């Protein structure tokens, strides 16, 4: 049970602005072979998707504070991110698994008022596929 909680937590934090390597935790648990692979993939995916939902929620309410001194982005950066999202649309969420750009993309989806259900579907596909491929590589399925 502790392994699942650790994996879920690392996956959740990894999807937020805090640095965390859920992939390393998942691979370690996979190589230990003490837990079912499918459950590990589901737990990692659930944690990572929940972290992305937190980002989406922050994005939904972030603009209220854009004129505050501590706001993390300039007006130009916000306009650029929103223009990019308008151009590529919700399908860009399939890239939410990517390092560096994936997590900010989920915040921008919230800024752009992406409905939660399509957001959840696309992000779950992206994040679940990433963990599935990682498991396959770690266990030499490919």
């Amino acid at each position: 049970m502790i392994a699942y909680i650790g994996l879920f937590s690392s996956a959740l934090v990894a999807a937020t602005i805090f640095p965390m390597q859920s992939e390393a935790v998942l691979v370690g648990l996979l190589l230990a072979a003490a837990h079912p692979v499918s459950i590990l993939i589901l737990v990692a995916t659930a944690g990572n998707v929940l972290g992305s939902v937190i980002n989406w929620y922050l994005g939904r309410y972030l603009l209220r504070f854009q004129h505050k001194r501590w706001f993390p982005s300039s007006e130009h950066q916000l306009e650029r991110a929103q223009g990019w999202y308008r151009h590529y649309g919700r399908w860009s969420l399939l890239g939410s698994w990517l390092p560096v750009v994936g997590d900010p993309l989920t915040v921008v989806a919230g800024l752009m008022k992406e409905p939660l259900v399509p957001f959840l579907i696309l992000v779950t596909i992206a994040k679940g596929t990433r963990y599935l491929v990682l498991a396959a590589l770690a266990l030499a399925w490919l």
Side-chain angles (χ1 to χ4, degrees), residues 5-54:
I5 291 169
L7 178 59
F8 181 88
S9 300
S10 71
L12 185 144
V13 172
T16 65
I17 60 170
F18 299 106
M20 177 66 77
Q21 289 297 317
S22 62
E23 295 86 356
V25 175
L26 176 62
V27 168
L29 290 169
L30 288 168
L31 295 178
H35 305 284
V37 173
S38 59
I39 301 299
L40 291 174
I41 292 169
L42 286 172
V43 168
T45 301
N48 212 242
V49 170
L50 181 58
S52 294
V53 169
I54 291 169

Side-chain angles (χ1 to χ4, degrees), residues 86-135:
R86 272 192 291 279
H87 179 74
Y88 293 103
R90 70 174 43 139
W91 296 105
S92 64
L93 289 169
L94 291 172
S96 63
W97 66 272
L98 293 166
V100 181
V101 298
D103 299 333
L105 179 59
T106 60
V107 175
V108 172
L111 282 169
M112 298 301 292
K113 309 291 188 217
E114 183 66 49
L116 184 58
V117 171
F119 174 87
L120 278 173
I121 292 168
L122 293 169
V123 169
T124 300
I125 290 168
K127 307 279 187 157
T129 301
R130 175 188 64 192
Y131 286 122
L132 185 62
V133 169
L134 179 63

